[in-house]
Amino acid sequence: MPDLAGEARSGAEFRTEDGRRVPAVTVAEMREIDRIAVDELGPNLFQMMENAGRNLAEEAMSRLGSDPPTVLALAGSGGNGAGVICAARHLANHGVDVQLLLAFSEDRLATVPSAQLALYRATGRTEIGAGTNPSVAPSMILDGLIGYGLRGAPSGEIARLIVWTHGVDAPVLSLDVPSGIDGDTGAAPGLAIRPAATVTLALPKTGLAFTDTGDLVLADIGIPKEVFRRAGIAYVSPFVGKYRVGLEVYRT
């Protein structure tokens, strides 16, 4: 079987806006980084998803216009769902009219998104169940439906929501990897989100060099240098004086 992720890594590189190179990681490498953080050094998943969600919320607020905005947060059942639910809470706390749409019933949520959902509910903002659409057209959509855990073409409610976003005149801000995109190769095995921007976490995934991410932003989720070292990643922090940096892709 060809090493498509390796080919993607060798065919492009990521740089910050001031020219610093940033290594890309495959999905397997990112899973190992997450494992080392959770099992050995920290931060834990709650901390990482809290950091991810706050970064996403801050990026969203930087892009919202002066008119009172309405933001629709689309959340799946895993880590990306947790990050988007967290972002919805931060937006609500800062006066944004937020609606949260869960792609799955609550009993299918993993531990971290379930905890984030309880916190979101404390804001008193709108929650929409699976199978329904918001009654008010949003001015922005947050995409946390799948992330790098894609396994085959999206189906069911996830596919329905992706199609729905295609017909809405609102920019989509994806978390980590646009839903429906393979994080290793950038391929879309089926339906996929069309983002105006993507906030990718910790390090860019190899496939982001070969798909339409919109504006690409790298967000710090608090992983220390030793975690990357143990994972075999040569890492120099690109986050000099800030928590998010813009990335550019250079194909070689």
Side-chain angles (χ1 to χ4, degrees):
M1 181 178 295
D3 180 8
L4 298 178
E7 291 176 12
R9 191 206 303 276
S10 64
E13 67 179 22
F14 295 86
R15 298 181 194 171
T16 62
E17 293 163 331
D18 60 1
R20 284 170 290 156
R21 293 180 179 178
V22 179
V25 290
T26 66
V27 169
E29 287 170 333
M30 193 64 223
R31 290 190 194 280
E32 179 63 3
I33 291 166
D34 286 343
R35 186 201 65 77
I36 293 168
V38 171
D39 294 346
E40 299 178 17
L41 292 174
N44 62 39
L45 280 175
F46 287 91
Q47 293 170 312
M48 286 191 284
M49 288 302 100
E50 180 70 24
N51 291 336
R54 181 167 179 172
N55 271 304
L56 183 64
E58 289 181 336
E59 186 65 29
M61 286 188 287
S62 76
R63 293 169 178 271
L64 292 170
S66 57
D67 294 334
T70 298
V71 174
L72 174 66
L74 301 178
S77 60
N80 263 32
V84 160
I85 297 169
C86 173
R89 168 173 43 93
H90 283 289
L91 290 171
N93 287 346
H94 287 264
V96 178
D97 182 11
V98 179
Q99 299 181 357
L100 172 64
L101 197 161
L102 297 175
F104 299 98
S105 60
E106 184 179 349
D107 61 2
R108 291 185 60 184
L109 296 181
T111 301
V112 178
S114 181
Q116 288 289 355
L117 178 60
L119 290 170
Y120 173 79
R121 285 174 172 166
T123 70
R125 295 304 173 94
T126 303
E127 183 181 334
I128 304 169
T132 59
N133 292 330
S135 58
V136 178
S139 48
M140 178 181 285
I141 299 169
L142 304 183
D143 161 38
L145 292 171
I146 304 175
Y148 75 54
L150 178 71
R151 293 182 176 86
S155 60
E157 180 67 357
I158 297 289
R160 186 190 74 81
L161 288 171
I162 290 173
V163 170
W164 181 83
T165 67
H166 293 172
V168 178
D169 186 20
V172 179
L173 187 55
S174 288
L175 184 60
D176 202 27
V177 177
S179 293
I181 296 298
D182 185 298
D184 280 337
T185 67
L191 294 163
I193 289 287
R194 302 166 185 165
T198 300
V199 177
T200 196
L201 305 176
L203 286 173
K205 316 311 174 282
T206 56
L208 295 179
F210 299 96
T211 191
D212 183 7
T213 63
D215 297 335
L216 185 58
V217 178
L218 181 65
D220 178 15
I221 56 173
I223 298 175
K225 184 176 181 178
E226 178 63 13
V227 171
F228 296 107
R229 189 193 69 79
R230 292 191 188 187
I233 306 297
Y235 180 79
V236 176
S237 175
F239 304 108
V240 179
K242 57 185 70 175
Y243 285 92
R244 297 186 312 283
V245 294
L247 290 183
E248 297 176 355
V249 177
Y250 294 82
R251 293 185 176 87
T252 58

